[in-house]
Amino acid sequence: MQELFPYLLNGVSVGGQYALIAIGYTLVYGILRLINFAHGDVFMVAGLVMVYSTTSMPFYIALPLVLIATVILGFTIERVAYKPLRTAPRMSVMISAIGVSYLLQSFAQIVFGSANKMVTVYEFGSITLLGVTIRISALVTLAVTVVVMVALTLFIKCTRLGRAMIAVSEDKGAAQLMGINVNKIITVTFA
């Protein structure tokens, strides 16, 4: 069991990372019924910006700046690529999503290059519990995943904006008749 536990914890930690990415994807699909092909590319850009920003500033400053930059990127993509096509045929929106994906990939290749690079990632260290060595980063990832999922659940179920998101995902027309600004909800979801 001692040999298996670190692998189990790392698997749950990586699964938590995938779950966080899937939550954003699911929110966008649930509200817009749009397969956002650029969703993974937004995370790629955020990861690259995080790696390079931590080389020039402390981690505690880089993290909030990257989060803000990612929100701005999501907002900008929605405003530029998706909002003008709200009433267009579904195929037009899908082509736009693929175009945004290629744009972000090409932008990353131009700015960061396409060659493999060695990156030294900040490691939090490890602890030993009951003879089992556990990386602290795996525990932090697991804790952050749980906190974000609980916070998002509370946000959606307990706030006015979250309930508006549910209403828009159920029926945009009825939500609009109830006084909900559908465009605002879609923009907030992308951000």
Side-chain angles (χ1 to χ4, degrees):
M1 185 63 179
Q2 288 182 347
E3 297 85 23
L4 182 64
F5 186 73
Y7 294 110
L8 182 65
L9 184 62
N10 285 334
V12 170
S13 175
V14 170
Q17 293 172 28
Y18 291 146
L20 289 174
I21 293 170
I23 285 172
Y25 186 80
T26 304
L27 280 172
V28 170
Y29 183 79
I31 290 180
L32 280 177
R33 303 290 185 254
L34 162 71
I35 299 173
N36 185 9
F37 291 106
H39 190 72
D41 299 306
V42 170
F43 279 91
M44 172 208 49
V45 170
L48 288 170
V49 170
M50 183 68 179
V51 165
Y52 283 98
S53 64
T54 54
T55 62
S56 61
M57 61 184 79
F59 182 80
Y60 61 88
I61 294 173
L63 181 62
L65 289 178
V66 170
L67 289 174
I68 291 168
T70 305
V71 167
I72 291 170
L73 179 61
F75 174 82
T76 304
I77 289 170
E78 191 275 331
R79 287 291 170 150
V80 171
Y82 301 139
K83 187 175 181 179
L85 299 174
R86 285 264 161 81
T87 58
R90 309 283 292 150
M91 188 58 71
S92 300
V93 180
M94 190 179 309
I95 291 169
S96 179
I98 293 169
V100 170
S101 175
Y102 282 130
L103 176 75
L104 291 175
Q105 290 174 31
S106 298
F107 176 77
Q109 278 188 332
I110 290 168
V111 172
F112 300 108
S114 59
N116 291 338
K117 296 176 183 61
M118 290 296 294
V119 177
T120 304
V121 178
Y122 180 77
E123 185 59 48
F124 294 102
S126 59
I127 58 172
T128 303
L129 294 173
L130 304 171
V132 177
T133 302
I134 302 168
R135 290 182 337 186
I136 294 175
S137 61
L139 294 174
V140 168
T141 302
L142 186 59
V144 167
T145 301
V146 169
V147 167
V148 168
M149 287 184 179
V150 168
L152 185 63
T153 300
L154 291 173
F155 170 76
I156 289 182
K157 291 187 185 256
C158 300
T159 66
R160 186 179 175 121
L161 191 59
R163 289 191 306 265
M165 290 169 84
I166 292 171
V168 170
S169 73
E170 291 291 326
D171 188 347
K172 284 185 193 137
Q176 200 165 19
L177 289 173
M178 299 304 290
I180 296 173
N181 185 343
V182 173
N183 286 328
K184 176 184 167 191
I185 298 302
I186 291 171
T187 300
V188 167
T189 302
F190 266 92

